[in-house]
Amino acid sequence: MVDSYRHKGMRRKLAESIRGKGIKDERVLGAIEKIPRHFFLDTTFTEIAYQDKPFPIGLGQTISQPYTVAFQTELLEVKKDEKVLEIGTGSGYQACVLVEMGAKVFSVERHRPLFQKAKFLLEKMGYFPKLFYGDGYKGLPSFAPFDKILVTAGAPEIPEALLQQLKEGGFLVIPVGAGANQVMLRVKKTAEGVFEKEEFGQFRFVPLIGKKA
Ligand code: SAM
């Protein structure tokens, strides 16, 4: 795994282009500038890893577009030492962004080979979020409650278990929609059983899969 000056230069440009698209949180931009995205991709993608695009990571899944990663992370308003649950570890890139922001990260992936690959890579890179193989629809009840929950796959509806596992004052950021496109929602738990929903435009994610493989 080589991280050259050229890669660093491409990352700086990527962070600048994302800033140009409206992302303001410097901690998010700093994480994007710091994390070698090409490590998360097959070597055939090394030259294009810093384009602001999603790329395949196997099993029909993708590493999200960096702008989308930044957008969702900014919506989470992560503070240092907060407990953050991610549903859909995928390559592990988003989990590293959250770790860079000082969060205590828990992440669930439903495809075992992706879970294993991310675990191996992140340890090698020196990132230690707690990674789990399982069905993210159920959340992680034994580690709940969480300050923030981030879903990185398109959900047909908001999973009830995730709402239950939010702390009071916590947020869930989730793309929701039954078709190819979803609406990005931020759901705040203002009191036990009371939620406020905000909408943040259309996105396109691979679907959240219901039953365990
Ligand atoms: N966050 C990832 C990253 O940084 O590379 C990208 C996520 S990718 C767009 C969506 C991921 O969600 C895929 O890896 C997919 O296998 C996973 N997924 C789909 N349904 C799931 C479920 N029910 N529970 C956990 N993970 C799920």
Side-chain angles (χ1 to χ4, degrees):
M1 295 198 301
V2 177
D3 190 27
S4 67
Y5 282 112
R6 208 165 70 79
H7 292 124
K8 286 178 183 139
M10 290 194 280
R11 279 210 291 287
R12 203 169 308 124
K13 280 196 188 139
L14 173 63
E16 272 318 301
S17 90
I18 290 172
R19 188 198 304 278
K21 291 176 184 173
I23 300 299
K24 294 188 179 65
D25 189 330
E26 288 302 327
R27 297 170 313 143
V28 177
L29 294 164
I32 289 192
E33 195 169 328
K34 182 166 177 192
I35 301 167
R37 188 177 189 239
H38 64 286
F39 288 180
F40 297 81
L41 290 163
D42 189 273
T43 48
T44 46
F45 296 102
T46 301
E47 283 308 307
I48 54 173
Y50 295 100
Q51 293 181 4
D52 192 14
K53 289 182 181 164
F55 289 114
I57 55 170
L59 295 157
Q61 305 304 323
T62 53
I63 182 171
S64 300
Q65 180 182 347
Y67 171 72
T68 304
V69 172
F71 190 88
Q72 286 199 293
T73 311
E74 189 168 73
L75 282 184
L76 272 187
E77 297 178 10
V78 176
K79 296 182 190 73
K80 194 169 169 351
D81 293 330
E82 279 187 339
K83 264 172 79 182
V84 180
L85 171 63
E86 178 195 21
I87 306 302
T89 313
S91 68
Y93 179 79
Q94 170 76 70
C96 293
V97 170
L98 295 168
V99 170
E100 280 294 342
M101 295 181 72
K104 292 184 181 128
V105 182
F106 299 73
S107 184
V108 183
E109 171 56 51
R110 183 194 160 277
H111 286 294
R112 194 189 280 278
L114 294 179
F115 155 74
Q116 286 167 330
K117 200 170 167 192
K119 194 163 170 52
F120 180 75
L121 174 68
L122 268 50
E123 281 174 11
K124 206 162 147 193
M125 290 175 71
Y127 286 102
F128 298 97
K130 291 190 180 3
L131 301 184
F132 300 83
Y133 163 61
D135 181 1
Y137 259 103
K138 298 177 183 150
L140 276 181
S142 46
F143 294 89
F146 297 96
D147 295 289
K148 309 280 164 66
I149 301 179
L150 172 61
V151 179
T152 66
E157 74 280 325
I158 301 173
E160 184 58 36
L162 300 185
L163 293 176
Q164 280 169 12
Q165 290 171 35
L166 264 185
K167 273 187 196 168
E168 221 176 283
F171 311 160
L172 164 67
V173 170
I174 181 168
V176 177
N181 292 329
Q182 303 88 28
V183 176
M184 190 66 75
L185 295 182
R186 179 164 66 181
V187 186
K188 291 188 186 175
K189 188 173 197 166
T190 52
E192 205 43 57
V194 185
F195 298 94
E196 270 174 16
K197 248 187 239 171
E198 299 168 275
E199 291 191 6
F200 295 90
Q202 297 272 325
F203 285 80
R204 181 175 284 231
F205 283 81
V206 289
L208 191 66
I209 304 156
K211 289 202 182 83
K212 207 164 176 175

